[in-house]
Amino acid sequence: MPEDIDDKSDEELQRRIEAIAAAGASGTGLLGALFGGLAGTQQQSQESLLNSVLRALLVVVPTYVLAALGMRWQAGQPGGIPIDGPDVPAVVAVFVVLIFTLSHGVIPVFFYAIFRGAVVAVRSATGSRWNPISLFISGFIGLHMVLWYGFPLAGLGFVNGWYTPAWAAFGVITAKRGERQWAWLEHGSTAMSLMLFQFVMSDVSLFPWGLLVVVMQSLLLTFAEWKGKPLWVSRNAALD
């Protein structure tokens, strides 16, 4: 009888040891999956940020290069419209360009996205693409976007030649389906920044002083690309 008790005790102890080992193994696997997932998320975020930097530079750099070339080619030729901006210190001018680029060029990207989300919500709730409320919001936002960013592009055309607006049109036309509105936003915000620079700092040359604005606009547009573009692409896909 005591031997049976000892055998049963040994078996119970062995089962407990195996259970503890299995729990430890599963816990290790859970921790590994957790930290592995965090590492993967961090890597994806870094890759997304790098892609955003490259996309921003692809928009900003050609815009400023074409504007500078247009100013040089049009120098002394009739038909150009000179800009006579305020006479302010360079430090103040840079600060003004930075603030107004942020408020008038980048923040509207997220502001428009709020209304775009409202359109998605209304269409999802009603189950209709032709709901009057969603059509009104879409039409109003679309018209506002065209005018808000279209005027700076047109202004660049009259002042620097039509190379920069042509680059913007090329970017919008060649954009992927569901990303053309976003292409318009990024080119338009860049044009807004350039027009602000040329107005506020009209007494300085676009090169090399414009390089400072290129850096600022690239950083701001990188943030918009990184955090704003997913909102537009996902919501446009939901509206298709």
Side-chain angles (χ1 to χ4, degrees):
M1 185 71 176
E3 292 180 358
D4 294 340
I5 294 176
D6 291 340
D7 292 341
K8 291 180 180 180
S9 300
D10 291 341
E11 292 176 0
E12 182 66 23
L13 179 61
Q14 183 66 27
R15 282 196 298 269
R16 290 182 179 181
I17 292 174
E18 292 175 355
I20 293 172
S26 62
T28 302
L30 180 60
L31 290 175
L34 176 60
F35 287 107
L38 291 176
T41 302
Q42 183 178 8
Q43 183 179 2
Q44 292 175 357
S45 179
Q46 292 175 350
E47 292 177 354
S48 176
L49 178 58
L50 178 60
N51 291 334
S52 298
V53 172
L54 295 176
R55 286 194 298 265
L57 291 175
L58 186 60
V59 173
V60 175
V61 173
T63 297
Y64 280 77
V65 169
L66 290 172
L69 291 176
M71 290 179 66
R72 184 177 183 85
W73 291 336
Q74 287 200 158
Q77 296 183 7
I81 300 178
I83 296 180
D84 186 15
D87 185 13
V88 296
V91 176
V92 176
V94 170
F95 180 76
V96 169
V97 172
L98 177 61
I99 294 301
F100 275 83
T101 297
L102 180 63
S103 61
H104 290 65
V106 177
I107 290 180
V109 170
F110 298 92
F111 181 77
Y112 290 138
I114 295 174
F115 288 91
R116 198 64 175 166
V119 173
V120 174
V122 170
R123 289 189 180 180
S124 298
T126 60
S128 173
R129 294 175 56 90
W130 308 107
N131 181 271
I133 297 177
S134 65
L135 290 176
F136 174 78
I137 297 175
S138 295
F140 177 79
I141 293 299
L143 179 61
H144 196 281
M145 286 169 50
V146 169
L147 297 178
W148 187 259
Y149 290 129
F151 280 121
L153 282 168
L156 290 178
F158 285 112
V159 174
N160 305 327
W162 295 94
Y163 312 105
T164 297
W167 170 248
F170 176 79
V172 173
I173 293 172
T174 59
K176 298 178 182 178
R177 181 181 179 182
E179 297 185 10
R180 287 177 180 170
Q181 283 184 321
W182 174 254
W184 173 256
L185 290 173
E186 59 184 358
H187 281 278
S189 63
T190 303
M192 178 78 73
S193 177
L194 180 54
M195 280 300 297
L196 285 169
F197 168 80
Q198 291 191 249
F199 177 73
V200 178
M201 305 182 73
S202 58
D203 57 339
V204 301
S205 61
L206 188 58
F207 181 84
W209 297 105
L211 295 177
L212 180 60
V213 185
V214 169
V215 173
M216 292 190 304
Q217 175 66 6
S218 297
L219 292 175
L220 292 175
L221 190 58
T222 293
F223 176 75
E225 281 271 357
W226 189 28
K227 297 299 182 180
K229 184 178 180 179
L231 299 176
W232 280 90
V233 174
S234 62
R235 285 169 182 171
N236 282 348
L239 292 176
D240 287 341

